[in-house]
Amino acid sequence: MSTIQTLSHELTRYLDPEQIHQVRRAYFYAEQAHDGQRRKSGEPYVTHPLAVAQILSTMNLDHQSLMAAMLHDVIEDTQVGAEALNSQFGEAVTGIVDGVSKLTHLHFETKAEAQAENFQKMIMAMAEDIRVILVKLGDRLHNMRTLGVMPPQKQRRIARETLDIYAPIASRLGMHDIHVELEDLAFRAYYPMRYKLIGKAVQRARGNRLDVVERIGYTISKILREQGLPGEVSGREKHLYSIYSKMVAQKKSFNEIMDVFAFRIVTDKIDTCYRILGAVHNHYKPVPGRFKDYIAIPKANGYQSLHTDLFGARDISIEIQIRTKEMDDIANQGIASHSHYKSSEDQSRIETSYNRARQWVQGLMEMQKTATSSMDFIESVKIDLFPDEVYVFTPKGNVFELPKGATPVDFAYAVHTDIGNSCVSCRINKRLAPLSTPLESGQTVEIITTKSAQPNMAWLNFVVTGKARSNIRHYIKHKQEEESLNLGRRLLNQFLAGMGSSVDEINPIQLQEYLREAELKDLDALLMEIGLGNRMAYLVAQRLQQSSEESDSNATPMSVSGSEGLVLSYARCCHPIPGDHILGHISIGRGIVVHRDDCRNMQDFRDDPKKCIHLNWDADIDDDFTVNLRIELAAQRGIIATLATKASQAGANIHRIDIDEKEAQMSTVHLDLQVRDRIHLAQIIKRIRTIKSVSKIVRT
């Protein structure tokens, strides 16, 4: 068991005596604060923060991080407050401790919601100081190491949370060692039987493979010596969860996964990495399409290495990673790598890794601002923690890392939120492409935007990044709230006008009484409920006026401008267009659905003011509307092309053409067109009637 004395001795490697003294002082403060408290294992509670500090010391973290590790549970589990901690150890340490602490004074409906709120708070603290997540990962790692004393159900919950959130975050920050250990510990707790079976199988396979691994390793080392290339060759073990994940994802057997022999070559400088690559390719044939250069284009977490797959003798597959010593340290410790390298190039590489981590955290912060709830936010974060990435370029040559399966819309939001909100189309490698096209590494993507554009709800069907998804949802939600508020005001004003009143003239006392009964916080909330169709404007108007008299609301029909967006839609049963007499059906959750006055679906409640209102078209409406024409004609070659030409000549866009053959000589064509109004429709019908084979045209 580690003690403060052994830790202090270890810290002399990289901390000065005054800094070590500060760490010791934090330990004794925590020991006193946690006096009398014990862990589930029966050990004094202070052994946990000491163990967390021990984990962080192996990564050479600064003294303030180690102090925060010692104190990270003091605010949460003792009577010591943040102010007392601040006076003793300063703002920086207190800020880290506060970021790691859980929200203990708030109550949530579910445990999941509480965990989501805690994670959201931690992300906000990370934006202030990235060391928050390093301390949290150290805390989680020690808790996972000692998870066996917990009840099985709690073990599974913590293990699932670790696999979903903390292990991927460690990977995203480039902290390979912690990432691997977290995954294997969580795997053991969540799937204990699978863990044991795969563990035993790996031990057997390792014994059978030992001579093959040694022979391949010796051959690679011999190649390097003959070429005069410095390099340390080592076999690379696959960890248990990685083996299990590949078996599930790739639907492969254990033997198929273990038949791949993996090696790592660590050398002195970048130039030597490429020379070693040439040497091994000269001896073993490379597998086409399996070479990846993460030195020229690093991963999002700053990881750099050359990856290549080779054909060995006797159908043996060999995976090789080639990197420098500094790259290897960063690959294992990520942003926690604080070794003091001599060259400015190495220091620059560490700073690049750190800046990438900062950019990722800033992206999380932007996502957090647009999330509708903490649960929505944490789901977006899970989506964003993808292990596979594609690298695409802007027209100016800047590189963007995106999850596998990302589309131009994801790319647009990665560049800037405003570009995502206003994109209308894209060019991939200078060719126009649909916005739903999955991107591939190496492509150049250009986003075309217009000021009048806005996010489309259909984008949610294909975007994969959390940032794109949360921004689209945020925009649609905000737009829907704004539109439902305006529509609700118009509807309530219409019915109040029939009673000789208006929204602005409502008695404040009656309004407050109604809001209290309806459990609504203010007038805006009431208007949004009306706009969405959740409350009937007719009944609200009567209640606010304390009147049972019928209002004369139909004397002044409400105008439809076509810009109501999400809270006003047009019925597909009758396809109304400007010039038609129209009615509005108040639909719960959808607002108003516009029908033609003679639509048979409106017959049952056309005179019921609770469900139906009279509408008219705004004089300045400027939009395209869908109509369906049923055309009966004599079947002849080229008739469909002729129909399309006539419609196009009249300025109409064709959405769909369906053909029903009634008999050998006669056909019925269903034509979906986009028109401006009834006058435009009449012009189109007039042109189509000039076709000799057309016998009948009916608007359906």
Side-chain angles (χ1 to χ4, degrees):
M1 183 188 295
S2 178
T3 64
I4 187 61
Q5 283 72 29
T6 56
L7 176 61
S8 300
H9 179 71
E10 291 171 12
L11 294 179
T12 56
R13 288 184 299 107
Y14 70 98
L15 293 182
D16 59 48
E18 176 57 30
Q19 291 172 333
I20 296 173
H21 172 70
Q22 292 293 327
V23 175
R24 289 174 62 89
R25 195 164 72 87
Y27 168 79
F28 290 119
Y29 190 94
E31 185 179 44
Q32 188 175 0
H34 290 294
D35 186 39
Q37 295 180 350
R38 292 194 172 271
R39 305 198 81 211
K40 290 277 186 183
S41 61
E43 296 175 307
Y45 193 88
V46 75
T47 58
H48 168 62
L50 178 62
V52 174
Q54 178 76 41
I55 291 168
L56 300 185
S57 71
T58 62
M59 296 184 279
N60 290 6
L61 287 196
D62 64 289
H63 72 290
Q64 289 182 332
S65 299
L66 299 179
M67 292 166 68
M70 295 291 191
L71 301 163
H72 76 271
D73 280 331
V74 167
I75 294 177
E76 179 189 347
D77 293 336
T78 74
Q79 300 299 315
V80 178
E83 291 182 4
L85 213 60
N86 189 26
S87 65
Q88 286 287 328
F89 300 101
E91 290 184 7
V93 173
T94 306
I96 299 172
V97 173
D98 187 53
V100 177
S101 297
K102 299 182 181 71
L103 299 178
T104 54
H105 303 297
L106 297 179
H107 300 282
F108 303 97
E109 292 181 8
T110 64
K111 185 71 175 177
E113 195 173 322
Q115 291 293 333
E117 287 283 353
N118 294 335
F119 182 74
Q120 194 168 10
K121 183 194 177 192
M122 187 179 67
I123 292 298
M124 293 173 71
M126 281 169 59
E128 298 294 325
D129 193 332
I130 197 74
R131 293 175 294 183
V132 169
I133 192 61
L134 302 182
V135 176
K136 183 63 182 178
L137 288 173
D139 171 54
R140 178 51 62 113
L141 180 56
H142 184 250
N143 283 334
M144 291 302 298
R145 287 175 178 175
T146 57
L147 195 61
V149 297
M150 294 289 183
Q153 187 175 357
K154 193 168 185 180
Q155 285 188 38
R156 286 178 59 82
R157 180 182 62 76
I158 295 173
R160 185 74 262 169
E161 184 181 81
T162 300
L163 288 173
D164 284 348
I165 297 293
Y166 292 102
I169 285 180
S171 175
R172 192 65 173 72
L173 297 177
M175 302 168 72
H176 177 74
D177 291 347
I178 288 184
H179 163 237
V180 167
E181 189 173 356
L182 283 174
E183 281 193 337
D184 277 353
L185 290 170
F187 181 38
R188 182 174 67 184
Y190 201 77
Y191 295 118
M193 290 303 296
R194 300 179 198 187
Y195 177 87
K196 287 179 183 177
L197 289 171
I198 292 178
K200 288 179 181 178
V202 166
Q203 285 183 340
R204 286 195 301 270
R206 188 182 291 137
N208 299 334
R209 291 156 40 102
L210 194 58
D211 59 331
V212 180
V213 172
E214 288 179 352
R215 189 167 64 251
I216 296 173
Y218 175 78
T219 303
I220 295 172
S221 297
K222 183 181 177 183
I223 294 168
L224 300 186
R225 284 197 305 273
E226 290 174 351
Q227 297 292 327
L229 299 170
E232 183 181 329
V233 181
S234 59
R236 187 166 54 85
E237 288 284 340
K238 291 184 175 72
H239 63 287
L240 300 189
Y241 187 70
S242 171
I243 294 170
Y244 172 73
S245 298
K246 285 185 176 180
M247 289 172 65
V248 173
Q250 300 175 15
K251 294 182 173 60
K252 289 184 176 180
S253 68
F254 175 81
N255 289 332
E256 287 178 295
I257 299 294
M258 293 302 289
D259 277 348
V260 179
F261 294 82
F263 294 86
R264 179 175 297 140
I265 303 173
V266 178
T267 187
D268 57 350
K269 54 186 179 181
I270 293 175
D271 179 63
T272 313
C273 292
Y274 288 99
R275 293 173 64 193
I276 290 173
L277 177 72
V280 295
H281 277 188
N282 192 41
H283 191 275
Y284 295 109
K285 289 184 179 180
V287 178
R290 296 292 295 169
F291 168 65
K292 293 177 182 176
D293 188 345
Y294 292 120
I295 293 179
I297 304 177
K299 286 189 175 184
N301 58 15
Y303 173 89
Q304 289 184 292
S305 186
L306 297 178
H307 289 199
T308 185
D309 286 10
L310 308 171
F311 291 113
R314 301 177 188 173
D315 296 326
I316 292 174
S317 298
I318 305 171
E319 290 180 357
I320 293 184
Q321 297 176 352
I322 307 168
R323 61 179 70 146
T324 66
K325 176 66 171 67
E326 293 75 25
M327 291 176 190
D328 194 48
D329 288 341
I330 293 171
N332 293 329
Q333 296 186 4
I335 65 166
S337 180
H338 281 251
S339 300
H340 300 288
Y341 300 119
K342 294 179 182 178
S343 75
S344 59
E345 177 187 332
D346 298 331
Q347 192 61 40
S348 173
R349 194 175 296 119
I350 296 166
E351 289 174 1
T352 300
S353 175
Y354 181 83
N355 289 336
R356 284 173 180 268
R358 292 286 304 176
Q359 289 172 4
W360 178 65
V361 173
Q362 290 300 329
L364 292 182
M365 282 298 295
E366 187 174 337
M367 201 186 301
Q368 185 263 337
K369 291 176 183 175
T370 57
T372 54
S373 67
S374 55
M375 290 299 291
D376 178 45
F377 170 67
I378 204 167
E379 285 304 315
S380 296
V381 172
K382 283 183 186 179
I383 291 168
D384 227 28
L385 293 172
F386 273 80
D388 298 322
E389 292 162 336
V390 294
Y391 297 85
V392 293
F393 297 87
T394 67
K396 293 184 179 180
N398 297 324
V399 182
F400 278 83
E401 305 93 352
L402 295 168
K404 190 175 183 180
T407 64
V409 175
D410 294 297
F411 173 79
Y413 278 105
V415 175
H416 198 280
T417 302
D418 291 342
I419 292 177
N421 286 340
S422 57
C423 75
V424 290
S425 60
C426 71
R427 289 190 181 93
I428 299 176
N429 293 339
K430 297 185 178 181
R431 293 187 175 184
L432 284 171
L435 288 173
S436 58
T437 306
L439 297 175
E440 298 176 4
S441 287
Q443 291 178 328
T444 299
V445 184
E446 180 186 355
I447 300 297
I448 301 166
T449 63
T450 62
K451 291 182 180 179
S452 59
Q454 61 186 35
N456 189 330
M457 193 178 293
W459 292 354
L460 291 173
N461 295 326
F462 56 77
V463 295
V464 298
T465 58
K467 183 177 181 181
R469 190 172 294 277
S470 62
N471 273 290
I472 294 166
R473 283 177 175 164
H474 173 73
Y475 185 93
I476 290 171
K477 182 175 182 291
H478 178 74
K479 188 76 172 174
Q480 187 177 41
E481 287 177 354
E482 182 182 330
E483 290 174 351
S484 60
L485 178 66
N486 292 334
L487 180 60
R489 183 178 293 275
R490 291 169 65 188
L491 285 169
L492 188 56
N493 264 328
Q494 182 185 22
F495 286 102
L496 287 173
M499 302 174 181
S501 183
S502 70
V503 171
D504 297 330
E505 297 171 359
I506 297 172
N507 186 316
I509 297 174
Q510 289 185 340
L511 176 61
Q512 288 304 316
E513 184 180 342
Y514 181 83
L515 293 174
R516 187 169 57 255
E517 290 175 5
E519 297 181 351
L520 297 169
K521 62 179 182 178
D522 54 24
L523 177 60
D524 284 354
L526 173 61
L527 296 177
M528 279 193 277
E529 285 280 288
I530 295 171
L532 289 170
N534 297 332
R535 292 182 187 274
M536 301 303 171
Y538 174 77
L539 298 177
V540 173
Q542 284 191 336
R543 175 66 178 78
L544 290 175
Q545 292 300 308
Q546 293 293 332
S547 169
S548 60
E549 298 176 8
E550 293 291 323
S551 66
D552 187 18
S553 60
N554 293 334
T556 55
M558 193 180 82
S559 292
V560 174
S561 64
S563 61
E564 290 83 1
L566 299 172
V567 292
L568 187 142
S569 56
Y570 302 96
R572 295 182 179 180
C573 53
C574 56
H575 292 301
I577 63 174
D580 291 335
H581 294 294
I582 52 176
L583 293 169
H585 173 226
I586 301 173
S587 175
I588 296 175
R590 292 180 61 192
I592 295 178
V593 182
V594 181
H595 291 257
R596 281 159 57 182
D597 185 80
D598 56 355
C599 178
R600 66 177 63 185
N601 290 333
M602 295 292 287
Q603 297 303 317
D604 293 338
F605 41 78
R606 59 181 297 126
D607 296 321
D608 184 353
K610 298 175 186 176
K611 296 182 179 180
C612 180
I613 62 170
H614 283 263
L615 303 172
N616 62 19
W617 298 100
D618 192 287
D620 299 324
I621 192 166
D622 182 19
D623 208 346
D624 288 332
F625 298 84
T626 301
V627 295
N628 180 272
L629 297 180
R630 187 177 75 246
I631 304 170
E632 295 181 6
L633 43 74
Q636 63 181 54
R637 182 177 296 175
I639 188 62
I640 299 301
T642 305
L643 276 174
T645 301
K646 292 293 184 182
S648 179
Q649 287 173 349
N653 289 324
I654 298 175
H655 267 196
R656 187 171 62 94
I657 298 178
D658 283 341
I659 305 171
D660 295 331
E661 288 193 15
K662 293 174 66 177
E663 49 188 66
Q665 299 299 319
M666 293 294 294
S667 295
T668 301
V669 176
H670 293 276
L671 200 63
D672 280 359
L673 298 167
Q674 289 261 291
V675 302
R676 294 186 296 274
D677 50 31
R678 283 176 67 93
I679 295 174
H680 188 203
L681 177 61
Q683 293 170 349
I684 296 166
I685 291 174
K686 185 176 179 181
R687 279 186 178 270
I688 293 175
R689 286 193 189 281
T690 61
I691 302 172
K692 291 182 179 180
S693 58
V694 172
S695 59
K696 187 177 182 181
I697 302 176
V698 179
R699 179 184 173 192
T700 59

